[in-house]
Amino acid sequence: MMHKVITIIGARPQIIKAAALSRVIQSYYSKKINEIIVHTGQHYDENMSQIFFEELSIPPPLYNLNVGSNTHGKQTSLMIEKIEDVIIKEKPDALIVYGDTNSTLAGAIAASKLLIPVFHIEAGLRSYNKTMPEEINRIVADHTSTLLFCPTHQAIKNLEKEGFKLHNRFCDINHPKIILSGDVMYDNALYFSKKAAQKSKFLQQLQMTNHPFVLCTIHRNNNTDVTERLNNIFTALSEISNEIKIVLPIHPRTKKILATQLLPSTYKKLQNNKNILITEPVSFMDIIQLEKNCNMLITDSGGIQKEAYFFKKPCIVLRPETEWIELLDTGTTILADANPKKILSAYQKLKNTSIDNFLPFYGDGNAAKKIAEEIVLFFTDNKKIPS
Ligand code: UD1
């Protein structure tokens, strides 16, 4: 029997994450799962969205809700309204959400209120910092879900702390099931690693083949929107660029803000700095190729911290905390916040470091298969025992 699931995507990392499960559904479960992709339109620039569909062979979304940018409340409420319409029309058996963005939150609220089971992929992550919009989104998505797919053991521990119980019985929104699936991003890193080497020409375009460099990304709102933090980060990057080139594919929100938020002197220095190469946002093949070939990463992204580890590169995290705390124990990921002294000392400490002892925190590259199996099991064998 065919079961219909709606997959909600909206922001760049969700499009990438969804590729792993869509691939498995198309290859092994096309007779059991009918996946309908709904794009909220949270990310809408060509190089933040469309490019990934083409590159990662994801089926095109059946619906694009075109919500675009707005304040968090307006953006989220518009999504809830439009997702609700799609659910009412399509009558799915379940709805899948990924990660922690406003699109995740909207999908989880719209579906759970219509009593449609929510499956949350990347469940259980916590930064324990509720001033991050993502933390609120995670908590709500987890607490409205029926299947919670956890990428790590730590994610399961976090859910247990919030009262979730591990069980293997009948599950519904009141008795959610927690599953250790591994991380779909690790599946993707393994799957696309070779392809990226063949397809990406980005290093050649930058004339950086065989050159040492640091890969940097910055997009979190508490870095881009807080002048002091943004200036501190760029002061540290400018110091580091005296030693090594920095490649910085820039997120649209960071690009918009640089000229206005940086001190005029810092901005001028940045414009004249030939060792900091600021580029447009890059495709997934290009970012993988950059990650594989760089010496180190400096980032405030969650996904890129892990990709650094997947490709055995040290990483400086421009945040006060991380959801991926297992990385900190390795000593090759360092939290430096937006503190120039900490960023510079982390750079000095990590610049000659390599990761020799790779531990399988994120599974074995088969997370999406495990998720698809559990979804089919939910549809075929989730019987309530009469009480
Ligand atoms: C969102 C997620 C964040 C995720 C990130 C990945 C939330 C709360 N945040 O942050 O968790 O790590 O995506 O990129 O959902 N913009 C464009 N073009 C686009 C998209 C955005 O110009 O295609 C600009 C707009 O000015 C917009 C701003 O970037 O206001 C921020 O976009 P938004 O979707 O609100 O959040 P992100 O910062 O991308």
Side-chain angles (χ1 to χ4, degrees):
M1 192 182 161
M2 188 70 114
H3 295 278
K4 193 191 270 190
V5 298
I6 288 183
T7 293
I8 301 289
I9 53 174
R12 174 172 60 177
Q14 292 169 322
I15 305 169
I16 299 168
K17 286 169 197 166
L21 185 58
S22 289
R23 210 162 53 233
V24 167
I25 293 176
Q26 286 169 53
S27 309
Y28 305 103
Y29 293 98
S30 58
K31 293 207 171 72
K32 293 191 171 159
I33 302 175
N34 171 19
E35 184 187 33
I36 292 180
I37 297 186
V38 175
H39 191 332
T40 61
Q42 177 171 354
H43 284 176
Y44 44 85
D45 284 358
E46 159 99 24
N47 58 16
M48 294 292 283
S49 174
Q50 184 53 34
I51 189 170
F52 300 100
F53 283 90
E54 288 156 16
E55 206 175 36
L56 308 183
S57 320
I58 311 167
L62 203 57
Y63 296 87
N64 192 324
L65 309 180
N66 290 314
V67 298
S69 306
N70 219 317
T71 56
H72 283 240
K74 284 203 185 107
Q75 187 184 53
T76 312
S77 60
L78 210 61
M79 289 184 208
I80 295 176
E81 211 179 303
K82 293 188 172 196
I83 293 172
E84 186 177 66
D85 288 344
V86 177
I87 296 176
I88 291 169
K89 182 163 168 236
E90 291 288 345
K91 301 185 184 56
D93 298 299
L95 179 135
I96 298 175
V97 290
Y98 285 90
D100 56 17
T101 73
N102 291 341
S103 300
T104 317
L105 174 67
I109 291 180
S112 58
K113 297 253 176 186
L114 289 170
L115 308 183
I116 301 297
V118 175
F119 302 161
H120 186 199
I121 297 178
E122 213 177 67
L125 296 186
R126 295 291 181 269
S127 63
Y128 295 103
N129 174 5
K130 287 187 189 159
T131 66
M132 285 179 81
E134 291 84 358
E135 186 75 350
I136 311 271
N137 297 346
R138 290 178 191 127
I139 294 171
V140 177
D142 284 342
H143 285 263
T144 45
S145 287
T146 293
L147 295 186
L148 293 111
F149 292 103
C150 295
T152 59
H153 287 283
Q154 183 59 42
I156 293 186
K157 279 193 208 155
N158 295 343
L159 290 177
E160 287 182 302
K161 267 194 247 166
E162 283 171 27
F164 285 86
K165 303 232 170 2
L166 289 173
H167 69 83
N168 258 325
R169 294 168 281 118
F170 168 82
C171 57
D172 62 13
I173 190 168
N174 291 318
H175 310 88
K177 184 173 176 187
I178 296 174
I179 298 132
L180 180 67
S181 57
D183 194 322
V184 287
M185 288 305 285
Y186 188 45
D187 296 17
N188 274 337
L190 295 180
Y191 185 82
F192 289 109
S193 174
K194 257 199 208 138
K195 285 194 186 153
Q198 290 155 2
K199 288 200 173 164
S200 172
K201 300 281 171 277
F202 198 65
L203 281 169
Q204 288 90 317
Q205 281 163 21
L206 290 181
Q207 299 184 329
M208 289 290 289
T209 329
N210 300 323
H211 280 286
F213 69 96
V214 166
L215 175 63
C216 178
T217 74
I218 302 160
H219 79 277
R220 291 251 157 240
N221 58 352
N222 79 324
N223 282 335
T224 56
D225 302 358
V226 182
T227 312
E228 196 190 346
R229 293 178 63 90
L230 196 68
N231 276 289
N232 282 345
I233 290 171
F234 276 94
T235 305
L237 291 180
S238 158
E239 279 287 315
I240 293 171
S241 74
N242 292 328
E243 262 189 53
I244 187 166
K245 281 203 169 161
I246 299 176
V247 177
L248 200 169
I250 201 155
H251 188 286
R253 78 176 306 135
T254 317
K255 187 178 179 182
K256 274 181 204 159
I257 240 147
L258 272 188
T260 53
Q261 291 280 48
L262 283 187
L263 295 171
S265 57
T266 317
Y267 186 58
K268 196 151 188 226
K269 254 197 198 161
L270 180 65
Q271 283 181 309
N272 294 331
N273 190 334
K274 297 223 162 31
N275 278 346
I276 302 185
L277 310 176
I278 298 186
T279 77
E280 289 300 306
V282 295
S283 74
F284 192 57
M285 300 298 163
D286 289 343
I287 199 87
I288 287 197
Q289 194 57 0
L290 289 169
E291 288 164 352
K292 282 170 68 180
N293 287 282
C294 70
N295 293 42
M296 185 191 299
L297 289 97
I298 301 182
T299 187
D300 60 8
S301 152
I304 288 179
Q305 287 170 48
K306 279 180 299 164
E307 284 165 356
Y309 187 69
F310 299 158
F311 296 118
K312 305 193 171 93
K313 303 289 165 142
C315 182
I316 302 175
V317 179
L318 303 172
R319 288 178 48 196
E321 76 282 301
T322 178
E323 303 76 39
W324 307 103
I325 58 171
E326 54 285 330
L327 290 177
L328 301 180
D329 296 335
T330 64
T332 50
T333 298
I334 293 181
L335 288 179
D337 204 359
N339 178 324
K341 272 200 195 128
K342 283 192 190 167
I343 298 171
L344 293 174
S345 82
Y347 173 73
Q348 291 306 333
K349 183 158 177 238
L350 294 177
K351 70 179 182 185
N352 295 315
T353 306
S354 61
I355 299 177
D356 305 322
N357 183 22
F358 184 82
L359 296 166
F361 299 128
Y362 302 102
D364 59 3
N366 287 306
K369 271 197 192 133
K370 174 112 204 222
I371 291 169
E373 277 165 21
E374 283 286 345
I375 291 176
V376 171
L377 199 66
F378 175 82
F379 290 135
T380 53
D381 194 25
N382 187 40
K383 309 270 181 302
K384 194 163 193 168
I385 300 159
S387 48

Short mmCIF file of all heavy atoms in Angstrom, two decimals, residues 11-13 42-45 48 69 72 75 100-102 133-134 137 219-220 251-253 256, ligand 1:
data_model
loop_
_atom_site.label_atom_id
_atom_site.label_comp_id
_atom_site.label_asym_id
_atom_site.label_seq_id
_atom_site.Cartn_x
_atom_site.Cartn_y
_atom_site.Cartn_z
N ALA A 11 14.85 26.22 4.00
CA ALA A 11 16.17 26.87 4.04
C ALA A 11 17.21 25.94 3.42
O ALA A 11 17.02 24.72 3.39
CB ALA A 11 16.53 27.20 5.48
N ARG A 12 18.27 26.54 2.98
CA ARG A 12 19.32 25.81 2.25
C ARG A 12 19.69 24.46 2.87
O ARG A 12 19.68 23.44 2.17
CB ARG A 12 20.53 26.74 2.12
CG ARG A 12 21.77 26.11 1.52
CD ARG A 12 22.83 27.15 1.25
NE ARG A 12 23.27 27.85 2.43
CZ ARG A 12 24.25 28.77 2.44
NH1 ARG A 12 24.87 29.07 1.32
NH2 ARG A 12 24.60 29.36 3.56
N PRO A 13 20.02 24.40 4.19
CA PRO A 13 20.45 23.10 4.72
C PRO A 13 19.36 22.03 4.66
O PRO A 13 19.66 20.84 4.60
CB PRO A 13 20.83 23.40 6.17
CG PRO A 13 20.25 24.73 6.49
CD PRO A 13 20.10 25.46 5.20
N GLN A 42 11.29 30.02 2.12
CA GLN A 42 12.08 30.81 3.10
C GLN A 42 13.37 31.29 2.45
O GLN A 42 13.72 32.46 2.53
CB GLN A 42 12.36 29.98 4.36
CG GLN A 42 13.22 30.73 5.36
CD GLN A 42 13.36 30.04 6.71
OE1 GLN A 42 12.72 29.04 6.98
NE2 GLN A 42 14.19 30.59 7.58
N HIS A 43 14.08 30.37 1.81
CA HIS A 43 15.23 30.78 0.98
C HIS A 43 14.78 30.78 -0.47
O HIS A 43 14.15 29.84 -0.93
CB HIS A 43 16.42 29.84 1.19
CG HIS A 43 17.11 30.10 2.50
ND1 HIS A 43 18.16 29.34 2.96
CD2 HIS A 43 16.92 31.06 3.44
CE1 HIS A 43 18.57 29.82 4.14
NE2 HIS A 43 17.82 30.85 4.44
N TYR A 44 15.09 31.86 -1.16
CA TYR A 44 14.52 32.04 -2.50
C TYR A 44 15.56 32.42 -3.54
O TYR A 44 15.32 32.27 -4.73
CB TYR A 44 13.42 33.12 -2.45
CG TYR A 44 13.86 34.33 -1.64
CD1 TYR A 44 14.60 35.34 -2.22
CD2 TYR A 44 13.58 34.40 -0.28
CE1 TYR A 44 15.03 36.42 -1.47
CE2 TYR A 44 14.01 35.47 0.48
CZ TYR A 44 14.73 36.48 -0.11
OH TYR A 44 15.18 37.53 0.63
N ASP A 45 16.74 32.91 -3.12
CA ASP A 45 17.76 33.23 -4.13
C ASP A 45 18.14 31.95 -4.87
O ASP A 45 18.23 30.89 -4.25
CB ASP A 45 19.03 33.80 -3.47
CG ASP A 45 18.85 35.25 -3.02
OD1 ASP A 45 17.77 35.81 -3.25
OD2 ASP A 45 19.80 35.79 -2.43
N MET A 48 20.72 29.95 -3.22
CA MET A 48 20.39 29.46 -1.87
C MET A 48 19.38 28.32 -1.96
O MET A 48 19.03 27.72 -0.95
CB MET A 48 19.79 30.58 -1.01
CG MET A 48 20.73 31.70 -0.68
SD MET A 48 22.06 31.22 0.42
CE MET A 48 21.20 31.16 1.99
N SER A 69 11.26 36.52 2.82
CA SER A 69 11.80 37.03 4.09
C SER A 69 10.76 37.90 4.79
O SER A 69 9.95 38.56 4.15
CB SER A 69 13.02 37.90 3.82
OG SER A 69 13.95 37.19 3.07
N HIS A 72 10.23 37.13 12.06
CA HIS A 72 10.03 35.71 12.35
C HIS A 72 8.55 35.37 12.50
O HIS A 72 8.08 34.36 11.98
CB HIS A 72 10.79 35.31 13.62
CG HIS A 72 12.26 35.15 13.37
ND1 HIS A 72 12.94 33.98 13.57
CD2 HIS A 72 13.16 36.02 12.89
CE1 HIS A 72 14.20 34.14 13.23
NE2 HIS A 72 14.37 35.39 12.83
N GLN A 75 6.81 35.63 9.02
CA GLN A 75 7.29 34.57 8.13
C GLN A 75 6.68 33.23 8.54
O GLN A 75 6.16 32.48 7.73
CB GLN A 75 8.83 34.51 8.20
CG GLN A 75 9.45 33.57 7.19
CD GLN A 75 10.97 33.47 7.37
OE1 GLN A 75 11.46 33.19 8.46
NE2 GLN A 75 11.71 33.71 6.31
N ASP A 100 15.81 22.83 12.32
CA ASP A 100 15.41 23.80 13.35
C ASP A 100 15.05 25.18 12.80
O ASP A 100 15.15 26.18 13.51
CB ASP A 100 16.56 23.94 14.34
CG ASP A 100 17.86 24.36 13.66
OD1 ASP A 100 17.80 24.84 12.51
OD2 ASP A 100 18.93 24.19 14.26
N THR A 101 14.65 25.27 11.56
CA THR A 101 14.37 26.61 11.03
C THR A 101 12.91 26.98 11.24
O THR A 101 12.10 26.17 11.69
CB THR A 101 14.67 26.68 9.52
OG1 THR A 101 13.65 25.96 8.84
CG2 THR A 101 16.02 26.08 9.17
N ASN A 102 12.56 28.19 10.83
CA ASN A 102 11.16 28.60 10.93
C ASN A 102 10.27 27.71 10.07
O ASN A 102 9.09 27.51 10.40
CB ASN A 102 11.02 30.07 10.51
CG ASN A 102 11.68 31.00 11.53
OD1 ASN A 102 11.92 30.60 12.68
ND2 ASN A 102 11.97 32.22 11.13
N PRO A 133 16.76 31.70 17.79
CA PRO A 133 15.44 31.30 17.26
C PRO A 133 15.36 29.80 17.01
O PRO A 133 14.32 29.17 17.21
CB PRO A 133 15.30 32.09 15.95
CG PRO A 133 16.66 32.64 15.64
CD PRO A 133 17.42 32.69 16.93
N GLU A 134 16.49 29.22 16.62
CA GLU A 134 16.49 27.79 16.28
C GLU A 134 16.16 26.91 17.50
O GLU A 134 15.59 25.84 17.35
CB GLU A 134 17.86 27.36 15.73
CG GLU A 134 18.21 27.93 14.36
CD GLU A 134 18.80 29.33 14.43
OE1 GLU A 134 18.91 29.89 15.55
OE2 GLU A 134 19.13 29.87 13.37
N ASN A 137 12.51 26.65 17.92
CA ASN A 137 11.98 25.81 16.83
C ASN A 137 12.20 24.33 17.11
O ASN A 137 11.33 23.50 16.88
CB ASN A 137 12.63 26.20 15.50
CG ASN A 137 12.33 27.63 15.09
OD1 ASN A 137 11.43 28.26 15.66
ND2 ASN A 137 13.06 28.16 14.12
N HIS A 219 26.76 33.42 9.30
CA HIS A 219 25.40 33.84 8.96
C HIS A 219 24.45 33.97 10.15
O HIS A 219 23.36 34.50 10.02
CB HIS A 219 24.77 32.87 7.95
CG HIS A 219 24.26 31.61 8.58
ND1 HIS A 219 25.07 30.54 8.85
CD2 HIS A 219 23.02 31.27 9.02
CE1 HIS A 219 24.35 29.60 9.42
NE2 HIS A 219 23.11 29.99 9.54
N ARG A 220 24.85 33.47 11.35
CA ARG A 220 23.91 33.50 12.50
C ARG A 220 23.50 34.92 12.82
O ARG A 220 24.35 35.82 12.84
CB ARG A 220 24.57 32.94 13.76
CG ARG A 220 24.84 31.53 13.70
CD ARG A 220 23.97 30.68 14.58
NE ARG A 220 24.03 29.39 13.95
CZ ARG A 220 23.00 28.73 13.47
NH1 ARG A 220 21.79 29.18 13.63
NH2 ARG A 220 23.17 27.60 12.85
N HIS A 251 26.76 34.46 3.00
CA HIS A 251 25.31 34.30 3.09
C HIS A 251 24.66 35.65 2.76
O HIS A 251 25.20 36.69 3.13
CB HIS A 251 24.98 33.87 4.53
CG HIS A 251 23.55 33.48 4.76
ND1 HIS A 251 22.54 34.39 4.82
CD2 HIS A 251 22.98 32.27 4.98
CE1 HIS A 251 21.39 33.75 5.05
NE2 HIS A 251 21.64 32.46 5.16
N PRO A 252 23.49 35.66 2.09
CA PRO A 252 22.89 36.95 1.71
C PRO A 252 22.68 37.91 2.88
O PRO A 252 22.88 39.12 2.72
CB PRO A 252 21.54 36.56 1.09
CG PRO A 252 21.56 35.11 0.89
CD PRO A 252 22.74 34.52 1.57
N ARG A 253 22.32 37.37 4.05
CA ARG A 253 22.08 38.30 5.17
C ARG A 253 23.38 38.96 5.62
O ARG A 253 23.39 40.14 5.95
CB ARG A 253 21.39 37.59 6.35
CG ARG A 253 22.31 36.75 7.19
CD ARG A 253 21.63 36.14 8.41
NE ARG A 253 20.98 37.11 9.23
CZ ARG A 253 19.76 36.96 9.75
NH1 ARG A 253 19.09 35.88 9.49
NH2 ARG A 253 19.26 37.87 10.51
N LYS A 256 24.39 41.67 3.00
CA LYS A 256 23.61 42.90 3.13
C LYS A 256 24.13 43.78 4.26
O LYS A 256 24.06 45.00 4.21
CB LYS A 256 22.15 42.56 3.43
CG LYS A 256 21.34 42.31 2.17
CD LYS A 256 19.90 41.99 2.52
CE LYS A 256 19.28 41.18 1.40
NZ LYS A 256 18.12 40.43 1.78
C1 UD1 B 1 17.92 30.25 8.32
C2 UD1 B 1 17.64 29.47 9.60
C3 UD1 B 1 18.95 28.98 10.19
C4 UD1 B 1 19.77 28.23 9.15
C5 UD1 B 1 19.97 29.13 7.94
C6 UD1 B 1 20.77 28.46 6.85
C7 UD1 B 1 15.68 30.26 10.88
C8 UD1 B 1 15.24 30.96 12.10
N1 UD1 B 1 17.00 30.31 10.60
O1 UD1 B 1 18.64 31.42 8.68
O2 UD1 B 1 18.68 28.11 11.28
O3 UD1 B 1 21.04 27.91 9.71
O4 UD1 B 1 18.68 29.48 7.41
O5 UD1 B 1 21.09 29.39 5.83
O6 UD1 B 1 14.87 29.69 10.19
N2 UD1 B 1 17.95 36.10 2.29
C9 UD1 B 1 18.16 36.38 0.96
N3 UD1 B 1 17.98 35.38 0.07
C10 UD1 B 1 17.60 34.13 0.41
C11 UD1 B 1 17.39 33.86 1.77
C12 UD1 B 1 17.59 34.85 2.70
O7 UD1 B 1 18.50 37.48 0.59
O8 UD1 B 1 17.47 33.26 -0.47
C13 UD1 B 1 18.18 37.17 3.29
C14 UD1 B 1 16.93 37.94 3.62
O9 UD1 B 1 17.28 39.28 3.79
C15 UD1 B 1 16.52 37.40 4.96
C16 UD1 B 1 17.84 36.99 5.58
O10 UD1 B 1 18.66 36.60 4.48
O11 UD1 B 1 15.81 38.29 5.72
C17 UD1 B 1 17.73 35.89 6.54
O12 UD1 B 1 17.03 34.78 6.00
P1 UD1 B 1 16.14 33.84 6.96
O13 UD1 B 1 15.51 32.77 6.17
O14 UD1 B 1 15.28 34.65 7.82
O15 UD1 B 1 17.18 33.19 7.93
P2 UD1 B 1 18.65 32.68 7.70
O16 UD1 B 1 19.56 33.67 8.29
O17 UD1 B 1 18.94 32.24 6.32
#
